[in-house]
Amino acid sequence: MSATSLPTSRPDAGGRAPDSAKRIVLAQPRGFCAGVRRAIGIVERALDLHGAPVYVRKEIVHNHHIVAELEMRGARFVDSEDEVPEGAVCVFSAHGVSPAVRTGAASRRLEVIDATCPLVAKVHQAAVRYARDERTILLVGHADHEEVEGVRGEAPDRTIVVETEEDVERLGLPADAPVAYLTQTTLSFDETSRVIDALHHKFTDIVGPAGSDICYASENRQNAVKALARRNDLVLVVGSCNSSNSIRMVEVAREHGSAAYLVPDAGQLDERWLASASSIGISSGASAPEILVRGLVERLATLGYTDVELDEGIPEDVVFSMPARLADPLTGRVPRTPLADEAL
């Protein structure tokens, strides 16, 4: 079944399906973003070119279903580049790595293929620039997230991680200290805006990115979840428990008035959540494949939720190119990155 083959209806003029009993509303957009599609494609292409095993530092993206599928194809996931045999092929995950990791990989003569999301790479580049300008970098994000670990590694002596407005108040820097802020790309747009406002209020010499570091896909999915929360009794977000953007989507739904839960897969649906829900909104994080959404919809159908409606949303057509080193050795062509999660 393709990603577009779920039977759907359209809402009536009042915004409700013709028969509102036991209804599902699917968010648009949902699921894979361009960076995730590119990262998965890189591992698959590396396996095609080099054969198994191909080593991947950390989970290529934060979704256990994807990791299991790629393991079946010959990918080997490791926590550190030190675990990769010398001279082997090693893919860096979509979350990016620090310069220290790159140095460690070079010392082991690894054949590195970098699957860092281009939007994350942009944050790395900004960190390098701000460090050269001798600014203290205030990195808004979660200290234990792989993306934050990588960005902080660009200038560890000049970077302070802040997560909340309270963290900003506790900073022991003078008001006129030259600072710059950057953010983890998968945060809640609304919450991050409040932290940035607090930084601007506290510091007089502060610079930051011209736009938001929050990636387009995270922002679009959060906005789509807000719409679901306004018109449904319950919101379910398909995504792994270690997926930052999926967790943020659940939080956004709750902040906008709906009960909401993270569902890694249909088997982990708790039917008690459905007790008073006649209308359920469903979305999925940027690293969750559509097959998991279909599985959840099919599980809910057995519980009486047979009316499936597709919500209106923002179309996404962003595509990130694959690394040139993955070109076909005969034709010199670089394979395209799929627009949907057709590979899995």
Side-chain angles (χ1 to χ4, degrees):
M1 185 186 296
S2 70
T4 57
S5 63
L6 288 170
T8 59
S9 61
R10 293 289 179 178
D12 62 20
R16 308 290 290 188
D19 177 7
S20 60
K22 297 289 188 175
R23 177 183 66 152
I24 291 172
V25 181
L26 294 173
Q28 286 282 74
R30 64 180 184 274
F32 281 1
C33 65
V36 165
R37 289 193 296 267
R38 175 179 181 269
I40 295 170
I42 284 173
V43 177
E44 294 182 322
R45 180 62 177 164
L47 287 165
D48 289 342
L49 288 177
H50 300 283
V54 163
Y55 292 86
V56 184
R57 186 185 182 277
K58 305 291 188 179
E59 293 186 352
I60 185 65
V61 296
H62 285 159
N63 186 273
H64 301 319
H65 177 86
I66 292 170
V67 168
E69 288 281 332
L70 292 174
E71 282 180 328
M72 290 177 61
R73 299 185 186 191
R76 298 292 178 265
F77 292 88
V78 297
D79 286 330
S80 169
E81 65 282 2
D82 294 336
E83 300 175 48
V84 181
E86 289 199 15
V89 176
C90 180
V91 179
F92 290 158
S93 80
H95 309 102
V97 299
S98 68
V101 170
R102 296 183 187 277
T103 299
S107 70
R108 299 183 63 78
R109 301 187 302 278
L110 302 183
E111 187 170 345
V112 170
I113 304 173
D114 193 352
T116 301
C117 173
L119 298 180
V120 175
K122 182 180 176 183
V123 180
H124 279 253
Q125 294 159 7
V128 171
R129 291 197 305 272
Y130 290 142
R132 287 174 180 168
D133 293 340
E134 298 186 346
R135 290 184 175 273
T136 297
I137 300 168
L138 304 175
L139 179 55
V140 183
H142 304 295
D144 58 350
H145 193 276
E146 290 159 29
E147 180 184 329
V148 170
E149 291 174 357
V151 174
R152 181 173 51 194
E154 296 289 355
D157 296 334
R158 305 195 68 90
T159 303
I160 302 172
V161 178
V162 295
E163 184 172 346
T164 65
E165 296 166 86
E166 290 72 26
D167 290 341
V168 173
E169 290 304 311
R170 286 191 288 265
L171 289 171
L173 299 171
D176 60 351
V179 301
Y181 70 86
L182 294 167
T183 73
Q184 182 181 329
T185 62
T186 55
L187 299 178
S188 159
F189 183 82
D190 294 337
E191 184 177 357
T192 303
S193 296
R194 292 193 292 269
V195 176
I196 292 172
D197 287 344
L199 289 172
H200 278 285
H201 181 76
K202 186 177 181 69
F203 297 104
T204 58
D205 185 3
I206 183 170
V207 297
S212 171
D213 284 334
I214 307 299
C215 90
Y216 78 95
S218 292
E219 185 173 356
N220 287 349
R221 280 150 188 75
Q222 289 171 25
N223 287 335
V225 160
K226 291 176 187 178
L228 288 184
R230 286 192 290 267
R231 57 189 294 246
N232 293 282
D233 306 314
L234 172 68
V235 172
L236 301 177
V237 177
V238 178
S240 288
C241 295
N242 62 338
S243 168
S244 176
N245 77 89
S246 301
I247 294 169
R248 300 290 85 74
M249 290 165 67
V250 172
E251 294 172 347
V252 166
R254 290 172 178 169
E255 289 168 0
H256 285 78
S258 175
Y261 299 96
L262 186 68
V263 185
D265 57 58
Q268 299 185 60
L269 173 69
D270 188 335
E271 294 183 18
R272 291 174 295 181
W273 300 338
L274 315 179
S276 59
S278 62
S279 180
I280 301 174
I282 295 178
S283 188
S284 53
S287 54
E290 185 68 6
I291 189 173
L292 298 181
V293 175
R294 294 200 299 269
L296 179 59
V297 171
E298 290 166 1
R299 169 80 183 281
L300 288 169
T302 67
L303 300 172
Y305 295 87
T306 55
D307 186 0
V308 181
E309 173 190 320
L310 189 64
D311 205 7
E312 299 293 341
I314 300 172
E316 290 180 347
D317 56 3
V318 177
V319 176
F320 294 138
S321 60
M322 302 273 273
R325 68 180 303 162
L326 295 179
D328 187 290
L330 297 178
T331 66
R333 295 178 180 174
V334 179
R336 71 179 182 88
T337 300
L339 279 171
D341 53 337
E342 56 198 47
L344 293 173

Short mmCIF file of all heavy atoms in Angstrom, two decimals, residues 8-9 11 15-17 22-28 30 224 227-228 231-236 278-283 293 297 300 305 307-312:
data_model
loop_
_atom_site.label_atom_id
_atom_site.label_comp_id
_atom_site.label_asym_id
_atom_site.label_seq_id
_atom_site.Cartn_x
_atom_site.Cartn_y
_atom_site.Cartn_z
N THR A 8 -9.63 8.05 2.23
CA THR A 8 -9.86 9.29 2.95
C THR A 8 -11.11 9.98 2.44
O THR A 8 -11.57 9.76 1.32
CB THR A 8 -8.68 10.27 2.79
OG1 THR A 8 -8.50 10.55 1.39
CG2 THR A 8 -7.41 9.68 3.36
N SER A 9 -11.66 10.85 3.32
CA SER A 9 -12.77 11.71 2.94
C SER A 9 -12.38 13.14 3.22
O SER A 9 -11.35 13.41 3.83
CB SER A 9 -14.03 11.33 3.73
OG SER A 9 -13.80 11.52 5.12
N PRO A 11 -13.57 17.01 4.82
CA PRO A 11 -14.53 17.56 5.77
C PRO A 11 -15.61 18.36 5.08
O PRO A 11 -15.43 18.81 3.95
CB PRO A 11 -13.66 18.47 6.64
CG PRO A 11 -12.52 18.86 5.75
CD PRO A 11 -12.27 17.66 4.89
N GLY A 15 -16.11 21.85 8.87
CA GLY A 15 -14.84 21.33 9.32
C GLY A 15 -14.90 19.95 9.90
O GLY A 15 -13.91 19.44 10.41
N ARG A 16 -16.05 19.29 9.83
CA ARG A 16 -16.18 17.94 10.34
C ARG A 16 -16.46 16.98 9.19
O ARG A 16 -16.98 17.36 8.14
CB ARG A 16 -17.35 17.83 11.34
CG ARG A 16 -17.34 18.86 12.45
CD ARG A 16 -16.21 18.63 13.43
NE ARG A 16 -16.43 17.44 14.24
CZ ARG A 16 -15.67 17.11 15.27
NH1 ARG A 16 -14.64 17.85 15.60
NH2 ARG A 16 -15.93 16.03 15.98
N ALA A 17 -16.08 15.73 9.38
CA ALA A 17 -16.38 14.73 8.37
C ALA A 17 -17.89 14.51 8.32
O ALA A 17 -18.61 14.78 9.28
CB ALA A 17 -15.67 13.41 8.71
N LYS A 22 -16.33 8.12 15.36
CA LYS A 22 -15.16 7.26 15.13
C LYS A 22 -14.36 7.70 13.91
O LYS A 22 -14.18 6.96 12.94
CB LYS A 22 -15.61 5.80 14.97
CG LYS A 22 -16.29 5.19 16.18
CD LYS A 22 -15.31 4.95 17.31
CE LYS A 22 -15.96 4.16 18.44
NZ LYS A 22 -15.03 3.80 19.51
N ARG A 23 -13.86 8.93 13.98
CA ARG A 23 -13.17 9.53 12.84
C ARG A 23 -11.68 9.62 13.10
O ARG A 23 -11.22 9.84 14.22
CB ARG A 23 -13.75 10.93 12.60
CG ARG A 23 -13.07 11.71 11.48
CD ARG A 23 -13.65 13.09 11.35
NE ARG A 23 -13.35 13.90 12.53
CZ ARG A 23 -13.23 15.23 12.52
NH1 ARG A 23 -13.42 15.89 11.39
NH2 ARG A 23 -12.96 15.89 13.61
N ILE A 24 -10.89 9.47 12.03
CA ILE A 24 -9.45 9.72 12.04
C ILE A 24 -9.17 10.88 11.10
O ILE A 24 -9.70 10.93 9.98
CB ILE A 24 -8.65 8.49 11.58
CG1 ILE A 24 -8.74 7.37 12.62
CG2 ILE A 24 -7.19 8.84 11.31
CD1 ILE A 24 -8.14 6.06 12.13
N VAL A 25 -8.32 11.82 11.53
CA VAL A 25 -7.87 12.92 10.68
C VAL A 25 -6.35 12.82 10.56
O VAL A 25 -5.64 12.85 11.57
CB VAL A 25 -8.26 14.29 11.24
CG1 VAL A 25 -7.79 15.40 10.29
CG2 VAL A 25 -9.78 14.38 11.43
N LEU A 26 -5.86 12.65 9.35
CA LEU A 26 -4.42 12.54 9.10
C LEU A 26 -3.84 13.92 8.81
O LEU A 26 -4.34 14.67 7.98
CB LEU A 26 -4.16 11.62 7.90
CG LEU A 26 -4.52 10.15 8.08
CD1 LEU A 26 -4.36 9.42 6.75
CD2 LEU A 26 -3.64 9.51 9.14
N ALA A 27 -2.75 14.25 9.50
CA ALA A 27 -2.11 15.55 9.33
C ALA A 27 -1.37 15.61 8.00
O ALA A 27 -0.89 14.60 7.49
CB ALA A 27 -1.13 15.79 10.47
N GLN A 28 -1.30 16.82 7.49
CA GLN A 28 -0.44 17.12 6.35
C GLN A 28 0.32 18.39 6.66
O GLN A 28 -0.31 19.39 7.02
CB GLN A 28 -1.29 17.33 5.08
CG GLN A 28 -1.86 16.06 4.49
CD GLN A 28 -0.84 15.27 3.71
OE1 GLN A 28 0.04 14.64 4.31
NE2 GLN A 28 -0.93 15.29 2.40
N ARG A 30 3.33 15.24 7.25
CA ARG A 30 3.73 14.34 8.32
C ARG A 30 4.88 13.48 7.78
O ARG A 30 5.12 13.42 6.57
CB ARG A 30 2.57 13.45 8.77
CG ARG A 30 2.06 12.49 7.70
CD ARG A 30 0.90 11.63 8.20
NE ARG A 30 0.51 10.66 7.18
CZ ARG A 30 -0.33 10.90 6.18
NH1 ARG A 30 -0.88 12.11 6.07
NH2 ARG A 30 -0.63 9.97 5.30
N ALA A 224 0.90 21.71 11.79
CA ALA A 224 -0.14 20.75 11.43
C ALA A 224 -0.75 20.10 12.66
O ALA A 224 -1.97 19.85 12.72
CB ALA A 224 0.43 19.69 10.48
N ALA A 227 -3.27 22.33 14.32
CA ALA A 227 -4.57 22.24 13.65
C ALA A 227 -5.32 20.99 14.08
O ALA A 227 -6.55 21.03 14.32
CB ALA A 227 -4.38 22.26 12.13
N LEU A 228 -4.61 19.87 14.22
CA LEU A 228 -5.25 18.63 14.68
C LEU A 228 -5.81 18.81 16.09
O LEU A 228 -6.92 18.36 16.40
CB LEU A 228 -4.25 17.48 14.69
CG LEU A 228 -3.78 16.89 13.36
CD1 LEU A 228 -2.86 15.70 13.63
CD2 LEU A 228 -4.94 16.47 12.49
N ARG A 231 -9.27 20.46 16.51
CA ARG A 231 -10.50 19.88 15.98
C ARG A 231 -10.65 18.39 16.26
O ARG A 231 -11.50 17.73 15.66
CB ARG A 231 -10.63 20.15 14.48
CG ARG A 231 -9.47 19.66 13.61
CD ARG A 231 -9.60 20.17 12.19
NE ARG A 231 -10.77 19.61 11.53
CZ ARG A 231 -10.70 18.78 10.49
NH1 ARG A 231 -9.53 18.42 10.01
NH2 ARG A 231 -11.79 18.33 9.94
N ASN A 232 -9.85 17.85 17.18
CA ASN A 232 -9.96 16.43 17.52
C ASN A 232 -9.90 16.24 19.04
O ASN A 232 -9.34 17.06 19.77
CB ASN A 232 -8.84 15.63 16.86
CG ASN A 232 -8.96 15.60 15.35
OD1 ASN A 232 -9.76 14.85 14.80
ND2 ASN A 232 -8.19 16.44 14.66
N ASP A 233 -10.46 15.13 19.50
CA ASP A 233 -10.46 14.82 20.93
C ASP A 233 -9.11 14.31 21.40
O ASP A 233 -8.77 14.43 22.57
CB ASP A 233 -11.52 13.75 21.23
CG ASP A 233 -12.89 14.14 20.73
OD1 ASP A 233 -13.29 15.29 20.98
OD2 ASP A 233 -13.56 13.30 20.10
N LEU A 234 -8.35 13.72 20.49
CA LEU A 234 -7.10 13.06 20.83
C LEU A 234 -6.15 13.19 19.66
O LEU A 234 -6.57 13.12 18.50
CB LEU A 234 -7.36 11.57 21.13
CG LEU A 234 -6.16 10.65 21.33
CD1 LEU A 234 -5.43 11.00 22.62
CD2 LEU A 234 -6.62 9.18 21.35
N VAL A 235 -4.85 13.38 19.94
CA VAL A 235 -3.83 13.41 18.91
C VAL A 235 -2.81 12.31 19.22
O VAL A 235 -2.31 12.21 20.35
CB VAL A 235 -3.12 14.77 18.83
CG1 VAL A 235 -1.92 14.71 17.88
CG2 VAL A 235 -4.10 15.86 18.37
N LEU A 236 -2.51 11.49 18.22
CA LEU A 236 -1.48 10.47 18.32
C LEU A 236 -0.36 10.81 17.35
O LEU A 236 -0.62 11.06 16.17
CB LEU A 236 -2.06 9.09 17.99
CG LEU A 236 -3.22 8.62 18.87
CD1 LEU A 236 -3.75 7.27 18.38
CD2 LEU A 236 -2.78 8.52 20.34
N SER A 278 -13.98 10.39 20.03
CA SER A 278 -14.69 10.04 18.81
C SER A 278 -13.94 10.50 17.57
O SER A 278 -14.20 10.02 16.46
CB SER A 278 -16.10 10.66 18.82
OG SER A 278 -16.01 12.07 18.85
N SER A 279 -13.00 11.42 17.76
CA SER A 279 -12.22 11.95 16.64
C SER A 279 -10.75 11.98 17.02
O SER A 279 -10.37 12.59 18.02
CB SER A 279 -12.71 13.37 16.29
OG SER A 279 -11.96 13.90 15.22
N ILE A 280 -9.92 11.31 16.23
CA ILE A 280 -8.49 11.18 16.54
C ILE A 280 -7.66 11.79 15.42
O ILE A 280 -7.83 11.43 14.25
CB ILE A 280 -8.09 9.70 16.72
CG1 ILE A 280 -8.89 9.06 17.85
CG2 ILE A 280 -6.60 9.58 16.99
CD1 ILE A 280 -8.65 7.57 18.00
N GLY A 281 -6.79 12.71 15.77
CA GLY A 281 -5.84 13.25 14.82
C GLY A 281 -4.55 12.44 14.87
O GLY A 281 -4.07 12.09 15.95
N ILE A 282 -3.98 12.13 13.72
CA ILE A 282 -2.75 11.34 13.64
C ILE A 282 -1.71 12.09 12.82
O ILE A 282 -2.00 12.59 11.73
CB ILE A 282 -3.00 9.96 13.01
CG1 ILE A 282 -3.92 9.13 13.90
CG2 ILE A 282 -1.68 9.22 12.79
CD1 ILE A 282 -4.25 7.76 13.33
N SER A 283 -0.51 12.17 13.37
CA SER A 283 0.63 12.69 12.62
C SER A 283 1.82 11.79 12.89
O SER A 283 1.71 10.79 13.61
CB SER A 283 0.94 14.14 13.00
OG SER A 283 1.91 14.68 12.12
N VAL A 293 2.42 4.64 10.19
CA VAL A 293 1.15 5.35 10.23
C VAL A 293 0.04 4.45 9.71
O VAL A 293 -1.04 4.35 10.30
CB VAL A 293 1.22 6.66 9.41
CG1 VAL A 293 -0.15 7.34 9.35
CG2 VAL A 293 2.25 7.60 10.00
N VAL A 297 -3.40 3.25 11.62
CA VAL A 297 -4.74 3.46 11.06
C VAL A 297 -5.48 2.13 10.95
O VAL A 297 -6.68 2.03 11.27
CB VAL A 297 -4.65 4.15 9.68
CG1 VAL A 297 -6.01 4.17 8.98
CG2 VAL A 297 -4.13 5.58 9.85
N LEU A 300 -6.63 1.06 14.42
CA LEU A 300 -7.78 1.85 14.86
C LEU A 300 -9.05 1.45 14.11
O LEU A 300 -10.16 1.51 14.66
CB LEU A 300 -7.50 3.34 14.68
CG LEU A 300 -6.48 3.93 15.66
CD1 LEU A 300 -6.07 5.33 15.23
CD2 LEU A 300 -7.04 3.95 17.07
N TYR A 305 -12.75 3.00 14.14
CA TYR A 305 -12.37 4.28 13.52
C TYR A 305 -12.13 4.05 12.03
O TYR A 305 -11.00 3.93 11.57
CB TYR A 305 -11.14 4.86 14.19
CG TYR A 305 -11.37 5.23 15.64
CD1 TYR A 305 -11.20 4.28 16.65
CD2 TYR A 305 -11.76 6.52 16.00
CE1 TYR A 305 -11.41 4.60 17.98
CE2 TYR A 305 -11.98 6.85 17.34
CZ TYR A 305 -11.80 5.88 18.32
OH TYR A 305 -12.03 6.21 19.64
N ASP A 307 -13.62 5.97 9.43
CA ASP A 307 -13.72 7.17 8.59
C ASP A 307 -12.39 7.91 8.66
O ASP A 307 -12.02 8.44 9.71
CB ASP A 307 -14.86 8.07 9.08
CG ASP A 307 -15.09 9.26 8.16
OD1 ASP A 307 -14.38 9.36 7.15
OD2 ASP A 307 -15.98 10.07 8.47
N VAL A 308 -11.63 7.93 7.55
CA VAL A 308 -10.30 8.54 7.52
C VAL A 308 -10.34 9.78 6.64
O VAL A 308 -10.70 9.72 5.46
CB VAL A 308 -9.23 7.55 7.00
CG1 VAL A 308 -7.86 8.21 7.01
CG2 VAL A 308 -9.24 6.28 7.84
N GLU A 309 -9.96 10.89 7.23
CA GLU A 309 -9.98 12.18 6.53
C GLU A 309 -8.57 12.75 6.46
O GLU A 309 -7.78 12.60 7.39
CB GLU A 309 -10.91 13.13 7.30
CG GLU A 309 -10.92 14.55 6.80
CD GLU A 309 -11.67 15.46 7.77
OE1 GLU A 309 -12.71 15.03 8.30
OE2 GLU A 309 -11.18 16.58 8.01
N LEU A 310 -8.24 13.38 5.35
CA LEU A 310 -6.94 14.01 5.17
C LEU A 310 -7.07 15.50 5.43
O LEU A 310 -7.85 16.19 4.76
CB LEU A 310 -6.42 13.76 3.75
CG LEU A 310 -4.98 14.16 3.46
CD1 LEU A 310 -4.00 13.33 4.30
CD2 LEU A 310 -4.67 14.00 1.97
N ASP A 311 -6.32 16.01 6.41
CA ASP A 311 -6.37 17.43 6.72
C ASP A 311 -5.64 18.24 5.65
O ASP A 311 -4.77 17.72 4.96
CB ASP A 311 -5.72 17.68 8.08
CG ASP A 311 -6.23 18.94 8.76
OD1 ASP A 311 -7.18 19.55 8.24
OD2 ASP A 311 -5.67 19.31 9.81
N GLU A 312 -6.03 19.48 5.51
CA GLU A 312 -5.31 20.38 4.61
C GLU A 312 -3.98 20.75 5.25
O GLU A 312 -3.84 20.80 6.47
CB GLU A 312 -6.13 21.64 4.34
CG GLU A 312 -7.47 21.38 3.69
CD GLU A 312 -7.35 20.84 2.28
OE1 GLU A 312 -6.27 21.00 1.67
OE2 GLU A 312 -8.32 20.25 1.78
#
